[in-house]
Amino acid sequence: MPDSPASDDSVIECRITPWFYRRRAMFAGMYLIAAVLFFKDGMHSWPKENEMAAKKEWFDKEVLEAYDNAKAGGDLTRWSADAKTKGLPVNAEGEPVKWAAYAAERGWPEKPKRRTQAEIDQQYYWGGAGALALLVVALNTLYYRNRKLVGYSDHLVTPSGKRVAYADAFRVDKRKWAVNGLAFVHYREGGEGSKVKIDDLMFDGAGRVLDRHLASFKGELIEKVLDE
């Protein structure tokens, strides 16, 4: 729906759009989830998996290997009796249970992966990076919360407070307007060339400011040419 026209002497105030806050919320949620998952792996999941891997190594050595040695030495009867006394995982016949069954009873993976301390530490680094990114998004949102683009009859004021007279503009680039809602106004002030951005997705009604500027614009207008 096109923006309604504004009279020449009216002031157009373009404040932050809901789209901006939704986008920031999406990034914040993504970074929060990433940070939580990384910290969870470093603090709980991977140390726990290392415990499972250590338990499997114990099982292979103290149960399976010991059983095989006793069997090879013809000493299974004594070994089975000792195993039951020690509470080793053996069945009623005194034979070791399968590791897969032993792990399944405890909800463990059949092949737990051992993680190095360096790998565990890395989860803290990535978790910290996610938390830092979340902080940046929060600060950026607060920074722009009260910002606005303002259009007057003969000039505009950017969200950072920069005053740009329409008469100082010599080029307007609208190639990204149709898709991204972005236009760039190139202007000269005191002999120095610079440009400002008009962002219609970020500032509600920015298109009205651009239309007002273009109504009296005499310079170069760059627009995207669509194929017929």
Side-chain angles (χ1 to χ4, degrees):
M1 179 176 171
D3 294 314
S4 59
S7 60
D8 290 341
D9 57 349
S10 65
V11 177
I12 307 172
E13 287 193 355
C14 308
R15 297 188 178 275
I16 294 294
T17 63
W19 172 89
F20 172 83
Y21 291 110
R22 288 196 301 270
R23 189 173 177 84
R24 290 300 184 275
M26 178 188 71
F27 280 115
M30 179 179 67
Y31 293 135
L32 175 61
I33 291 172
V36 169
L37 291 178
F38 280 123
F39 281 129
K40 178 176 177 291
D41 281 344
M43 297 173 66
H44 174 73
S45 299
W46 285 13
K48 186 67 175 179
E49 195 168 357
N50 276 355
E51 291 178 11
M52 299 174 194
K55 192 67 174 180
K56 186 176 186 304
E57 292 171 2
W58 168 85
F59 188 94
D60 290 341
K61 180 176 180 61
E62 300 297 331
V63 181
L64 299 182
E65 184 178 332
Y67 174 81
D68 290 339
N69 291 338
K71 185 177 180 180
D75 198 20
L76 277 180
T77 301
R78 186 181 63 81
W79 183 89
S80 297
D82 290 344
K84 291 178 180 179
T85 302
K86 295 176 181 177
L88 297 180
V90 294
N91 57 25
E93 288 75 30
E95 298 173 338
V97 301
K98 300 293 185 182
W99 164 258
Y102 182 81
E105 286 181 2
R106 291 157 178 76
W108 297 350
E110 184 176 350
K111 297 180 179 180
K113 185 176 180 179
R114 180 175 286 280
R115 310 284 182 169
T116 66
Q117 188 58 47
E119 289 176 319
I120 292 176
D121 291 342
Q122 196 172 55
Q123 300 309 295
Y124 288 100
Y125 302 149
W126 285 112
L132 179 60
L134 176 61
L135 177 62
V136 170
V137 170
L139 293 176
N140 180 262
T141 303
L142 291 175
Y143 175 80
Y144 280 105
R145 182 182 58 178
N146 295 320
R147 299 275 170 155
K148 59 185 177 179
L149 172 70
V150 185
Y152 294 92
S153 59
D154 61 346
H155 71 280
L156 63 85
V157 178
T158 69
S160 63
K162 178 67 178 178
R163 184 185 187 280
V164 179
Y166 299 145
D168 290 337
F170 64 91
R171 180 185 302 123
V172 175
D173 187 345
K174 286 186 62 180
R175 285 175 292 182
K176 295 184 178 181
W177 185 259
V179 176
N180 303 112
L182 290 176
F184 298 91
V185 176
H186 298 254
Y187 66 97
R188 291 190 182 92
E189 184 180 41
E192 296 291 331
S194 189
K195 69 177 180 179
V196 295
K197 178 175 67 175
I198 296 179
D199 191 337
D200 194 47
L201 289 179
M202 187 170 175
F203 294 97
D204 189 22
R208 299 170 63 202
V209 176
L210 181 62
D211 289 341
R212 170 177 284 182
H213 175 38
L214 291 177
S216 59
F217 180 62
K218 304 298 183 183
E220 177 187 8
L221 178 61
I222 306 174
E223 296 182 279
K224 184 176 181 179
V225 179
L226 300 178
D227 295 332
E228 295 182 0

